């Protein structure tokens, strides 16, 4: 109940702030129009409503410069705050609140050789008989391969355990688990972590993910060269196939990975598809649960969280842990094959993000996440307004008029969309240059965002569904038809 109430508070706060920001922008534009810039004979109607919607004049130079300056100031402000927070926690010597701070970890391990880096892989699996062989093949093809692989079989009713045993890997069977992936991993980690040393690393990866060549070598090199590094996440790309909906997701993932590369590995979320954790970091999280962190003491994962990977990322950051997602560590992950399964997946992600923000509140480690949610909310209003204005203009004009200023803005926007997916090949570029289809996909994601905010605000309980299983069932139904 505690997490649910906090989640509701987070949703209401974000909705209120975004609405206020949009209202202020509206009044500012309406006031400018009423003041004489581009006013029409009907100016002032409903607080300048018609003039704002139907103003055919390009914005004044002062308005454009002010908008650019404001955007740059906001972006710079967030970057500066994030950098100051990171620097503060790197230098922290408070072993109680930030036991994983680099300064503390480096001091504790100075002059001590804990042995070579070892990697133990945990693969949580619920009825993953079909996808597990490819996942294991990608692991064993790494050079060097992992030291140990354990399939965490959770309430499996298919041949998952048989496939794992046939490939020569260990099988850990969850017992009485009612907490999905997080609960099964907690059981396995409770057995594994006590025997892990300072240079022992635990990798957790989904059973529908394939590692690209060199993933483990690059990650191990990072851990070996930085004793303070607590976690390494992967950059994920979408698998081939699934037609148009698959290409939408691939373009989205390419842009996200590109953004992380520009941030030099400063990660938003340690993806559940494939991430590696130093054992000392996971033990510190388990020890902090119930006091400085949400959850039950002794659990690595908070079983109340819908998005356990996002929550674990915030938990590590809250304890001062240093994490990264290097460009050398890439994986190919499964895509949602239908609109319904994609809706369910993204709604779970959105509700999980809100619940995590509600559980942790407003603190230095969550500033970036709050800003991200507010930015998405404002983007929802901006895109809806843009498409609405296009419709109003199309219905209002007897003869289509080309506006050079807005055509120029549209050309720059289209160029950005194409450049950011260039490495995805000609299909990705073609979809990006058409622009409108991707804008419609963005509106779909915006609807998911709004649904998540509304569900959170009215207190509707969220549920965790096994999306992969559902996706396969739907795909089989479509084939049968």
């Amino acid at each position: 109940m505690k997490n649910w109430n906090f989640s509701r508070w987070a949703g209401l706060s974000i909705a209120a702030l975004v609405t206020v920001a949009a209202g202020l922008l509206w009044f500012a534009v309406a006031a400018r129009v009423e003041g004489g810039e581009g006013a029409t004979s009907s100016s002032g109607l409903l607080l300048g409503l018609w003039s704002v919607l139907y103003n055919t004049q390009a914005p004044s130079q002062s308005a454009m410069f002010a908008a650019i300056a404001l955007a740059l100031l906001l972006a710079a402000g967030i970057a500066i705050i994030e950098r100051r927070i990171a620097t503060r926690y790197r230098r922290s010597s408070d072993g109680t609140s930030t036991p994983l701070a680099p300064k503390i970890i480096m001091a504790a391990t100075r002059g001590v050789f804990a042995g070579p880096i070892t990697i133990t892989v945990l693969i949580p699996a619920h009825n993953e008989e079909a996808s597990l062989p490819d996942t294991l093949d990608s692991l064993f093809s790494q050079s060097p391969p992992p030291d140990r692989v354990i399939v965490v079989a959770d309430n499996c009713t298919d041949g998952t355990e048989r496939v794992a045993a046939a490939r020569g890997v260990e099988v850990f069977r969850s017992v009485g688990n009612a907490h999905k992936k997080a609960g099964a991993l907690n059981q396995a980690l409770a057995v594994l972590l006590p025997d892990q040393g300072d240079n022992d690393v635990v990798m957790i990866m989904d059973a529908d993910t394939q590692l690209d060549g060199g993933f483990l070598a690059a990650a191990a090199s990072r851990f070996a060269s930085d004793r303070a590094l607590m976690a390494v996440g992967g950059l994920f790309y979408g698998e081939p196939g699934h037609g148009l909906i698959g290409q939408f997701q691939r373009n989205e993932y390419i842009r996200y990975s590109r953004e992380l590369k520009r941030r030099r590995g400063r990660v938003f979320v340690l993806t559940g598809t494939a991430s590696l954790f130093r054992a000392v970091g996971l033990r510190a999280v388990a020890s902090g649960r119930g006091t400085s962190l949400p959850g039950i003491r002794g659990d690595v994962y908070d079983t109340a969280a819908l998005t356990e990977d996002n929550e674990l990322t915030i938990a590590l950051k809250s304890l001062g842990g240093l994490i990264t997602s290097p460009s050398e560590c890439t994986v190919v992950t499964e895509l949602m094959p239908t609109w319904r399964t994609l809706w369910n997946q993204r709604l779970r992600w959105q509700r999980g993000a809100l619940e995590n923000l509600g559980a942790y509140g407003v603190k230095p480690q969550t500033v970036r996440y709050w800003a991200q949610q507010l930015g998405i909310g404002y983007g929802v209003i901006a895109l809806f307004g843009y498409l609405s204005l296009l419709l109003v203009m199309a219905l209002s004009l007897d003869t289509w008029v080309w506006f050079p200023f807005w055509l120029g803005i549209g050309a720059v926007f289209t160029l950005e969309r194409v450049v950011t997916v260039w490495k995805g090949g000609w299909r990705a570029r073609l979809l990006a240059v058409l622009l409108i289809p991707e804008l419609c996909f963005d509106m779909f994601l915006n609807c998911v965002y709004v649904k998540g905010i509304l569900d959170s605000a009215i207190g509707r309980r969220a549920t965790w569904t096994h999306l992969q299983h559902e996706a396969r069932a739907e795909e089989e139904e479509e084939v049968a038809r």
Side-chain angles (χ1 to χ4, degrees), residues 258-279:
R258 186 175 185 272
E259 182 178 1
L260 284 187
K261 289 179 181 178
R262 289 173 57 215
R263 287 170 52 83
R264 297 181 181 178
R266 295 193 299 274
V267 64
F268 296 115
V269 178
L270 289 165
T271 172
T273 55
S275 292
L276 299 94
F277 305 88
R278 206 179 285 272

Side-chain angles (χ1 to χ4, degrees), residues 111-128:
V112 177
F113 178 63
I117 299 294
T118 70
I119 298 177
T120 298
V121 180
L122 296 183
I123 306 175
H126 172 70
N127 292 344
E128 303 287 357

